[in-house]
Amino acid sequence: MDQDLTGGIAVLDFGGQYAHLICRRVRGLGVYAALLPHGTTLAELERAGVSGVILSGGPSSVYAPGAPHADPEIFGGKIPILGICYGYQLMVKAHGGEVAGAGRREYGRSRVRVTEAGGLFEGVDGGGLVAWMSHSDSATKIPPSMEVLAASDGSPYAAVRLSGGEQYGVQFHPEVSHTEKGERLLSNFVLGVCGAERKWSMRGFLQRSVEELSKLDGTVLCAVSGGVDSSVVAAILSKAVGARLRCVFIDTGLLREGEKEKVQGVLGRDLGLRVTFIDASDRFLGALEGVADPEEKRRAVGKTFADVFEEFAREEGPFVHLAQGTLYPDVIESGRSTGPAAVIKTHHNVGGLPPGLSMRTVEPLRELYKDEVRELGGLLGLPESALKRHPFPGPGLAVRVLGEVTAEKLGVCRGASRIVEEVLEEDGAYSEAWQAFAYVGDDKVTGVLGDERRYGFQVVVKVVESVDGMTADWSRLDLGTLEKISTRITNEVQGVVAVAYNLSSKPPATIEPQ
Ligand code: XMP
């Protein structure tokens, strides 16, 4: 490792789902942060010039065979450390404390009482905080060299500090948006304890990216979907390589209503990009015929997408590079990170290219989260209407139609989702929601139409709030809004007799139903 991270923060990756999110939060404070392999040594960190180190969470148990460990030298006091969850447990173990499987697992919200105000908890202490926990192991005995700063019902040692040193540990996750004052806590560590330098900005990122991308030789092919990510990728590449960029829009038949027209407007008219439209919906529906397993559906969509792409590239090419709008959450959830993360879902836009494809992948946004991409899009001149659009998954409606994907269920899902979006817009609730859609499966419920009993679909409406898609909470919509949605769906969408509202947060659920 020979990166220059002078004045920045190193986040060591122990495989936690939120490891990169810590970097994102630190960057949000204006400080550069890099995610590094967990085995990075003290000597390497010192050479890189970091101001401090954060140890991420992770899925292992610290005593398990093969569990990832840090270089023991880093705990020697030369460098400030904040250990989070698993990283905290490693720190406790390194200083002679004990960690064990907790009798009680703590997942989701927990109230944390601050017992030692100031320092790490400066500005956070009044009344404690509600923190996001996600652990089954806990520190059961802390060494005499550590003092307790905070406790929760499930964790008597929810936060600790090495006496007289600059090492801190927290059992909860200050980096997730659902931990109250988590940003303040991170800022107390990064700016207060470490004295890190504030020299990172999105404008600087844009400038560096354009400089880097302009070194690409030859032509670049970019798939655009109408979503924020691919639009921003196309815009940044157009700035970097100009006319050597060619955009293609593949209609998978699994998109939201009116997607093609939106792309024509924003990319074609507003940004003046050259976009080719391909209708491949029959091929996608054919590939999904008889497929009910969610992972198989994702793979079928991914493979068909790659095939259509490859054919286009062969006919219209040669293209040297293939640009994709992969974001960091896609990378981490597909287990393609620097550390030992567990795979949650296979994302079709990550690593799904066939071996025959002879283009090199360019992923200008792979370090970023959605809110950062929106900020970048604003700097690139994308219209507000395009930037505020809700995210839409690569496999499209295939993951919102449960069971086999049929034309009938697709119609129900698309029509009901359009109504959800329209009502939220009307009631001024669209922008507050991270995503808002309807999904449908094969279950039929009984309804009455006139005097007749009739089996029909039950559609589930899902509206969630989130900052980055990593954690999410269901939206407490106004009852009048919910009523409007329900009435319009049963009146306007053929075959639907009932509407339900999903009340699950992430975790434990994921945002997409599949
Ligand atoms: P989950 O369902 O994993 O979703 O909580 C988190 C965010 O990612 C989006 N998502 C995807 N995006 N390809 C994508 O480009 C995918 O395969 C995919 N699966 C989920 C989802 O819509 C949410 O915003």
Side-chain angles (χ1 to χ4, degrees):
M1 196 205 76
D2 50 9
Q3 254 173 300
D4 177 11
L5 302 175
T6 309
I9 296 288
V11 178
L12 300 190
D13 186 359
F14 291 94
Q17 291 297 312
Y18 308 129
H20 193 272
L21 190 54
I22 303 169
C23 293
R24 190 260 164 282
R25 295 285 175 249
V26 175
R27 292 200 301 254
L29 299 169
V31 172
Y32 186 66
L35 190 63
L36 301 179
H38 61 82
T40 307
T41 62
L42 175 68
E44 288 172 320
L45 293 167
E46 285 186 323
R47 251 199 323 277
V50 298
S51 298
V53 177
I54 299 180
L55 312 179
S56 85
S60 306
S61 263
V62 291
Y63 298 112
H69 286 282
D71 173 11
E73 301 265 314
I74 69 167
F75 297 109
K78 288 201 167 156
I79 217 161
I81 304 178
L82 173 66
I84 296 177
C85 199
Y86 179 84
Y88 158 54
Q89 294 159 11
L90 280 179
M91 179 185 278
V92 167
K93 180 170 170 271
H95 289 290
E98 283 170 21
V99 175
R104 200 173 131 197
R105 290 146 50 111
E106 265 187 308
Y107 284 104
R109 290 187 169 84
S110 266
R111 175 148 285 283
V112 171
R113 298 175 301 279
V114 178
T115 50
E116 211 34 72
L120 195 62
F121 288 100
E122 185 73 48
V124 178
D125 34 4
L129 68 156
V130 173
W132 199 268
M133 297 267 190
S134 182
H135 66 114
S136 41
D137 281 3
S138 286
T140 46
K141 193 171 153 209
I142 58 163
S145 57
M146 281 182 167
E147 53 197 311
V148 181
L149 303 180
S152 74
D153 286 346
S155 303
Y157 313 122
V160 300
R161 169 175 188 259
L162 191 72
S163 308
E166 291 182 325
Q167 293 182 36
Y168 295 85
V170 289
Q171 183 54 69
F172 55 91
H173 290 272
E175 69 277 24
V176 308
S177 60
H178 291 102
T179 290
E180 278 174 16
K181 306 174 202 160
E183 190 185 339
R184 179 64 196 266
L185 198 146
L186 285 177
S187 149
N188 287 341
F189 176 72
V190 170
L191 302 174
V193 176
C194 303
E197 294 169 34
R198 302 182 84 165
K199 52 184 189 187
W200 194 89
S201 73
M202 189 54 82
R203 204 167 278 285
F205 175 86
L206 171 59
Q207 207 179 345
R208 276 194 307 280
S209 299
V210 170
E211 254 167 52
E212 267 312 295
L213 293 168
S214 64
K215 291 183 198 146
L216 293 176
D217 52 347
T219 44
V220 184
L221 177 59
C222 178
V224 291
S225 66
V228 181
D229 311 340
S230 60
S231 304
V232 173
V233 168
I236 197 170
L237 275 163
S238 152
K239 215 171 160 71
V241 305
R244 283 186 286 128
L245 172 71
R246 177 87 181 270
C247 296
V248 58
F249 174 94
I250 296 175
D251 187 349
T252 60
L254 304 166
L255 300 172
R256 290 174 281 199
E257 230 170 81
E259 207 73 81
K260 179 179 170 184
E261 293 69 25
K262 288 206 170 87
V263 171
Q264 277 166 332
V266 173
L267 297 185
R269 195 192 55 227
D270 298 352
L271 293 185
L273 303 185
R274 185 173 158 212
V275 186
T276 304
F277 292 85
I278 300 175
D279 181 0
S281 44
D282 289 346
R283 275 179 76 170
F284 281 88
L285 294 189
L288 286 165
E289 210 175 301
V291 184
D293 177 75
E295 280 294 294
E296 256 181 68
K297 285 199 283 188
R298 281 170 179 270
R299 276 193 290 273
V301 175
K303 164 128 188 18
T304 311
F305 199 90
D307 288 351
V308 174
F309 226 82
E310 197 177 358
E311 285 162 22
F312 176 83
R314 287 229 169 87
E315 281 160 24
E316 303 279 326
F319 296 99
V320 182
H321 303 277
L322 174 63
Q324 290 189 299
T326 316
L327 301 195
Y328 199 79
D330 308 338
V331 175
I332 193 106
E333 296 208 345
S334 298
R336 222 181 43 157
S337 62
T338 48
V343 175
I344 293 187
K345 284 179 187 175
T346 312
H347 282 235
H348 101 257
N349 39 2
V350 179
L353 299 177
L357 199 72
S358 58
M359 286 181 277
R360 272 173 272 156
T361 310
V362 190
E363 296 171 322
L365 312 180
R366 69 189 304 281
E367 288 288 308
L368 304 183
Y369 282 82
K370 201 79 178 188
D371 49 340
E372 293 180 305
V373 173
R374 289 199 170 108
E375 192 184 338
L376 184 61
L379 294 177
L380 284 159
L382 270 113
E384 183 62 28
S385 61
L387 293 176
K388 73 168 198 185
R389 281 211 86 192
H390 289 165
F392 188 67
L397 301 184
V399 293
R400 295 181 182 173
V401 165
L402 314 184
E404 188 183 351
V405 180
T406 62
E408 186 189 22
K409 285 194 276 176
L410 273 177
V412 168
C413 187
R414 193 178 279 125
S417 294
R418 174 180 50 78
I419 292 172
V420 175
E421 292 200 17
E422 279 175 6
V423 174
L424 291 194
E425 281 280 12
E426 258 168 46
D427 289 6
Y430 183 87
S431 295
E432 273 139 59
W434 165 263
Q435 273 169 307
F437 56 88
Y439 63 90
V440 66
D442 290 307
D443 287 346
K444 295 271 178 104
V445 298
T446 309
V448 277
L449 208 76
D451 290 331
E452 236 178 89
R453 284 166 74 80
R454 161 153 336 168
Y455 279 121
F457 288 109
Q458 167 163 278
V459 158
V460 182
V461 172
K462 185 153 189 184
V463 183
V464 295
E465 284 164 17
S466 175
V467 175
D468 44 45
M470 298 296 279
T471 55
D473 205 357
W474 58 279
S475 298
R476 273 65 172 169
L477 290 183
D478 182 74
L479 288 180
T481 302
L482 284 170
E483 186 180 0
K484 240 194 267 181
I485 290 174
S486 168
T487 311
R488 278 197 56 193
I489 290 176
T490 43
N491 282 349
E492 297 173 35
V493 184
Q494 184 78 23
V496 178
V497 298
V499 177
Y501 189 56
N502 185 309
L503 306 178
S504 298
S505 61
K506 171 184 180 176
T510 54
I511 295 174
E512 298 297 338
Q514 291 197 324

